[in-house]
Amino acid sequence: MKRYATIAGTGSYLPETILTNSDLEKMVDTSDEWIRQRTGIVERRIADDDVATSDLSVHASRLAIKNAHIDPIDIEMILVATVTPDTVFPSTACYVQQGIGAKNASAMDISAACAGFLYGLDLANGLIISGQYNTILVVGGEVFNKIVDWKDRNTCVLFGDGAGAAIVQATEEPKGIIASYIGSDGDYADINLLGIPAGGSRMPVTSEAIDNNLNKIQMNGREVFKLGVRLMPEAAQRVLRKADVSVDDIDLLIPHQANLRIIEAVGDRLGVPREKVYVNVDKYGNTSAATVIIALDEAIRQGRAKPGDLVLLVTFGAGLTWGSTLLRL
Ligand code: UT7
């Protein structure tokens, strides 16, 4: 019998504290009008100082486990996509394992920036259809507030904290992940394009690095914008071709939530009408690896994505990395 990997349950968790554009007006030289017009963001969530990525991820994972009607001990592997790990090592996935009591799982992190969750889904799909695993927890979680330079108006208005999780399970029914594609281009692995220079083996954190904010996110927004608008439609078209599905058959498009202008450009280039494009960047900003899974979980809970629907997820991030997944719910 052919095996498929299906999304058996999803969950998401956003910290309660809201940081509005007006709050940011008091912190940097910006305005609510500029942020709304250039990004579509109205507010974002911020985790408390003592909260780490695994804490948000554990909340989201518990909900996914509940919605999938499984026991944590059934989970055989935990993949956590994040660029804000609790610690360099051990992996955030191991803290999540402890937090949810998934005693029988192996656990590791995925470093693919904003594309990380779809990297996780792609891996889970391969491991499940090969017969090696039956139940995998895939998480996208970030606490960006700890890596943002709160004095840099070019970046601090864009990001937020949050986590989403999915239980991916083997099934013999032809549903779940219909087609998946991930890619990367290391020619763009430039920390000035998008990244954090200090904190790794290339540049350890020194007091000089801290003085120059090199332990915080750096980004060339304009270049990243252009790349996102080109790469996401290409990635989405690739999975549609792979699955031999027309764009008109898509019930919901969930693009990476970084900027409303990018989201709308991706939908327009693909020819997906605006009412079929999911948007929550206004409420949460860019939660990096967590955006598409938080959005999918919300869409399911709101009834915007129903059993049987065709949902197209697409994302891109630093690396550069990108990915797209076509799901039959
Ligand atoms: O997950 C992937 C991660 N990142 C992204 O997806 C980000 C992609 N890029 C973007 O979303 C946009 O490029 C930004 C929102 C970051 C910037 O929008 P933009 O329309 O590309 O603006 P810009 O960078 O061309 O800057 C226009 C002006 C500049 O002033 P001057 O040089 O024209 O005087 C900036 O200094 O806007 C200024 N500016 C701001 N003004 C008020 C930049 N940030 C702000 C701000 N408030 N927060």
Side-chain angles (χ1 to χ4, degrees):
M1 269 306 244
K2 193 165 176 216
R3 284 164 66 92
Y4 297 86
T6 191
I7 307 283
T10 59
S12 60
Y13 181 78
L14 282 307
E16 275 174 27
T17 304
I18 293 173
L19 185 73
T20 64
N21 291 348
S22 338
D23 295 331
L24 282 161
E25 284 177 351
K26 295 173 201 124
M27 297 160 64
V28 285
D29 180 14
T30 191
S31 66
D32 175 46
E33 193 194 359
W34 190 96
I35 302 171
R36 279 179 199 247
Q37 277 181 2
R38 310 308 292 168
T39 73
I41 301 167
V42 178
E43 56 190 43
R44 65 290 287 144
R45 301 298 179 92
I46 302 292
D48 290 346
D49 285 349
D50 61 350
V51 169
T53 294
S54 69
D55 298 315
L56 304 185
S57 302
V58 164
H59 281 295
S61 300
R62 286 196 181 128
L63 290 168
I65 289 164
K66 187 168 160 250
N67 290 326
H69 309 292
I70 63 159
D71 197 291
I73 58 168
D74 299 332
I75 297 169
E76 295 161 312
M77 178 177 267
I78 300 170
L79 299 171
V80 177
T82 186
V83 289
T84 50
D86 288 29
T87 48
V88 174
F89 66 93
S91 69
T92 303
C94 281
Y95 297 117
V96 172
Q97 174 178 30
Q98 183 192 40
I100 61 174
K103 287 268 175 225
N104 294 324
S106 53
M108 66 173 172
D109 288 357
I110 294 176
S111 175
C114 302
F117 182 78
L118 295 192
Y119 267 61
L121 274 193
D122 189 78
L123 284 175
N125 184 43
L127 291 167
I128 285 173
I129 59 180
S130 72
Q132 208 175 337
Y133 288 83
N134 290 310
T135 305
I136 300 180
L137 168 65
V138 185
V139 182
E142 304 283 11
V143 176
F144 249 69
N145 91 70
K146 310 251 178 100
I147 61 162
V148 159
D149 174 1
W150 287 105
K151 292 193 187 73
D152 177 12
R153 69 173 184 176
N154 291 296
T155 50
C156 76
V157 303
L158 304 174
F159 297 97
D161 304 337
I167 298 291
V168 188
Q169 256 188 333
T171 178
E172 285 172 359
E173 278 179 68
K175 63 174 197 169
I177 299 171
I178 304 292
S180 170
Y181 159 65
I182 54 174
S184 54
D185 186 347
D187 285 349
Y188 289 98
D190 171 359
I191 33 96
N192 294 315
L193 179 67
L194 185 53
I196 297 183
S201 57
R202 194 178 291 268
M203 188 193 292
V205 179
T206 56
S207 50
E208 196 189 342
I210 292 172
D211 289 346
N212 292 309
N213 277 320
L214 298 176
N215 58 330
K216 303 289 179 183
I217 191 163
Q218 319 283 318
M219 183 180 73
N220 178 340
R222 222 175 283 183
E223 280 311 306
V224 173
F225 190 106
K226 284 190 245 165
L227 287 161
V229 167
R230 178 166 66 79
L231 291 169
M232 283 199 280
E234 280 175 14
Q237 268 150 356
R238 202 147 158 162
V239 291
L240 290 175
R241 276 200 303 275
K242 222 170 163 179
D244 197 18
V245 163
S246 153
V247 76
D248 300 335
D249 296 330
I250 300 301
D251 294 296
L252 190 66
L253 171 68
I254 301 182
H256 176 44
Q257 307 284 312
N259 182 320
L260 183 60
R261 291 187 292 141
I262 301 179
I263 294 169
E264 290 181 344
V266 170
D268 292 351
R269 282 193 182 196
L270 285 169
V272 177
R274 293 271 164 98
E275 64 274 14
K276 287 189 179 179
V277 181
Y278 196 84
V279 176
N280 65 8
V281 71
D282 51 328
K283 294 189 293 180
Y284 308 135
N286 181 351
T287 57
S288 183
T291 67
V292 288
I293 178 59
I294 292 173
L296 176 63
D297 180 57
E298 268 193 2
I300 290 171
R301 242 139 287 298
Q302 292 163 354
R304 289 223 24 216
K306 300 173 290 302
D309 279 359
L310 258 188
V311 179
L312 181 59
L313 311 173
V314 62
T315 187
F316 84 108
L320 287 171
T321 54
W322 56 84
S324 187
T325 311
L326 183 64
L327 291 175
R328 171 77 69 190
L329 288 182

